[in-house]
Amino acid sequence: MKINKLPEKYLEMLKYAEEILEANESSPLTVIVTTAKGKLMGFASRLSDTDRIADENRFLQSLAEHGETKISCGLCKWRNGNVDIPSANLRKKLEELNSANLEAEFLLQGVEGFQLRSLRAMRYPA
């Protein structure tokens, strides 16, 4: 779904992403989610596959430990300002964490502006 004006919740998430990136100068990417309970959670990610997967796994563990396994929305923001699709690993693990996460909408940035896409819509065909 293409959107013309960003909903307030995504503006808050983008602001939080900037704060995380400022605090983690060596990380090129941050992932932010809003849980179904309304809690904003995120992490800074490193670039190499091994480090990125370790960062994602720590974040997923944190979600589980806080009882926040269901998310409503999310975004992945690069330091250069681009908003991108979450990694295949993170998408799969969010689904495994709670199957309801397939309905979570992520903010994506394309040539024609921003759009929202559910994790279900981002799945690879089986």
Side-chain angles (χ1 to χ4, degrees):
M1 164 192 352
K2 184 180 171 190
I3 52 178
N4 294 320
K5 184 177 181 204
L6 286 179
E8 185 66 30
K9 66 183 175 184
Y10 289 103
L11 294 173
E12 291 172 18
M13 293 170 75
L14 286 167
K15 181 179 178 193
Y16 187 47
E18 284 297 323
E19 292 171 8
I20 289 177
L21 288 170
E22 285 178 23
N24 296 277
E25 292 181 9
S26 63
S27 296
L29 173 69
T30 185
V31 176
I32 308 295
V33 299
T34 299
T35 68
K37 297 176 186 176
K39 186 170 183 176
L40 209 57
M41 298 181 75
F43 69 100
S45 181
R46 294 169 286 174
L47 197 53
S48 79
D49 285 343
T50 303
D51 290 338
R52 179 187 45 76
I53 290 171
D55 294 338
E56 291 171 352
N57 288 339
R58 271 193 298 280
F59 177 66
L60 293 160
Q61 182 178 350
S62 176
L63 288 173
E65 288 172 357
H66 286 92
E68 300 280 359
T69 62
K70 184 178 177 186
I71 64 170
S72 61
C73 57
L75 61 83
C76 300
K77 184 176 187 300
W78 290 93
R79 185 171 296 283
N80 69 7
N82 290 338
V83 178
D84 205 353
I85 189 171
S87 74
N89 178 67
L90 183 58
R91 295 191 315 266
K92 179 181 176 191
K93 297 286 185 162
L94 283 169
E95 178 182 349
E96 290 171 358
L97 188 64
N98 188 325
S99 62
N101 288 339
L102 285 172
E103 304 314 316
E105 291 188 318
F106 273 73
L107 182 67
L108 303 177
Q109 185 177 13
V111 176
E112 297 181 18
F114 289 103
Q115 61 178 306
L116 300 176
R117 178 141 324 146
S118 70
L119 283 177
R120 180 180 307 282
M122 290 186 265
R123 286 172 108 184
Y124 290 111

